[in-house]
Amino acid sequence: MVIKATYYGANGWLIDLDKTRILVDPWLNGELRFPPGDWLIKGELAKEIEVPKDINFLLLTQGQPDHAHPPTLEKIDKGIPVIASHAASKVVSQIG
């Protein structure tokens, strides 16, 4: 079995297990903002990262923006199966 892990920063990973690709907690584009507003926490990427190709599963461990980042999730193919915590599933459901 071949295992490869690519780190995308923050909490984001792409895990390759033979021919299965799992994208974990991606933040690949846009700003990272936490409630109640920018004055508390705001993150910016040095550059936008392209969504990896041939993803088999999306794994979201939390519903917080650094794990279930709405601007990134909007760019990911909606046909990819999602494995998510209860809070993250609410974020995904709002996006469609």
Side-chain angles (χ1 to χ4, degrees):
M1 173 181 274
V2 176
I3 300 173
K4 178 182 173 188
T6 304
Y7 179 59
Y8 287 117
N11 300 302
W13 290 88
L14 177 64
I15 308 296
D16 288 283
L17 302 169
D18 282 332
K19 295 182 181 182
T20 301
R21 303 187 89 202
I22 305 166
L23 185 59
V24 182
D25 293 341
W27 169 34
L28 305 176
N29 67 290
E31 295 177 339
L32 180 63
R33 297 173 184 209
F34 285 85
D38 293 352
W39 61 271
L40 180 62
I41 298 175
K42 179 180 175 185
E44 297 179 13
L45 293 170
K47 67 176 189 162
E48 188 170 313
I49 301 167
E50 191 172 320
V51 175
K53 301 201 182 315
D54 303 320
I55 299 168
N56 299 101
F57 298 98
L58 178 61
L59 174 61
L60 303 174
T61 62
Q62 295 184 31
Q64 295 296 322
D66 58 330
H67 295 265
H69 185 249
T72 297
L73 296 177
E74 289 171 1
K75 290 190 165 209
I76 295 174
D77 178 357
K78 305 298 186 276
I80 296 171
V82 178
I83 303 164
S85 68
H86 181 71
S89 67
K90 290 180 182 180
V91 176
V92 171
S93 293
Q94 290 174 349
I95 292 170

